[in-house]
Amino acid sequence: MRLDLTPYRRSTIGFDRLFDMLESNARAPTAENYPPFNLERLAEDRYRITLAVAGFARDEIEITAQQNLLLVAGKKDDRAAGASFLHVGIANRSFERRFELADFVFVEDARLNDGLLVIDLVREVPEAMKPKSIAIKTGAPLAAVEPKTDVAEAA
């Protein structure tokens, strides 16, 4: 399916990143589904990503947080290359998962337990960016301001 966002690009400012992301996802072939993961919303400003990374040790997983991007990569050694398996049903390959993060979303914690990698995220909007309520004052009406006359003209 071809997604044409040109009309929206012409009438909006500052949404280039969003449009680029939508277009690249529409062009991408079927996405890899390894490792499987869950996305949870824990609260209004808290999120959790849970990846099933059975068979990976802590030192084989790398989590990198950049601006608006979370990259989770697993590098598996070929230790079992000499083993003689009759059936291989446990995925044991390297992976790379990318998650686009909204502005002001940061990694708070990451834990590996029982084959599940749990990454907690929090959205922390700076005080300067939060909406503020402006008090409306009452009082005497504003007086008209008289234009200043030049001293030279008055003489």
Side-chain angles (χ1 to χ4, degrees):
M1 178 179 115
R2 172 79 169 100
L3 187 63
D4 184 19
L5 298 172
T6 307
Y8 302 107
R9 284 187 183 269
R10 284 190 292 236
S11 61
T12 59
I13 297 171
F15 291 94
D16 297 335
R17 188 174 149 264
L18 174 65
F19 292 138
D20 291 343
M21 185 174 57
L22 289 171
E23 288 172 343
S24 69
N25 283 340
R27 278 192 307 263
T30 55
E32 172 100 17
N33 290 328
Y34 180 75
F37 66 94
N38 292 339
L39 294 175
E40 275 181 90
R41 183 179 202 158
L42 303 174
E44 185 176 328
D45 58 350
R46 303 184 81 71
Y47 305 90
R48 177 173 287 161
I49 301 171
T50 305
L51 291 104
V53 293
F56 282 85
R58 205 171 59 201
D59 60 339
E60 295 174 326
I61 299 173
E62 182 178 335
I63 301 172
T64 307
Q66 301 171 6
Q67 183 176 357
N68 302 107
L69 178 69
L70 177 66
L71 177 66
V72 181
K75 308 248 187 298
K76 202 64 176 157
D77 296 336
D78 291 333
R79 289 182 219 156
S84 178
F85 288 104
L86 298 176
H87 173 74
V88 178
I90 299 173
N92 207 13
R93 61 185 184 268
S94 297
F95 68 88
E96 183 175 285
R97 275 276 187 198
R98 295 174 180 266
F99 298 94
E100 296 284 336
L101 302 178
D103 291 336
F104 312 116
V105 174
F106 305 100
V107 175
E108 182 180 51
D109 189 32
R111 295 176 309 282
L112 179 63
N113 193 19
D114 295 333
L116 295 176
L117 176 64
V118 177
I119 303 169
D120 288 329
L121 306 166
V122 64
R123 184 168 188 243
E124 295 176 352
V125 179
E127 284 297 320
M129 302 293 286
K130 290 182 180 176
K132 296 179 186 111
S133 180
I134 307 300
I136 301 172
K137 299 175 185 170
T138 59
L142 296 176
V145 177
E146 295 292 325
K148 287 187 177 182
T149 55
D150 207 11
V151 178
E153 290 178 19

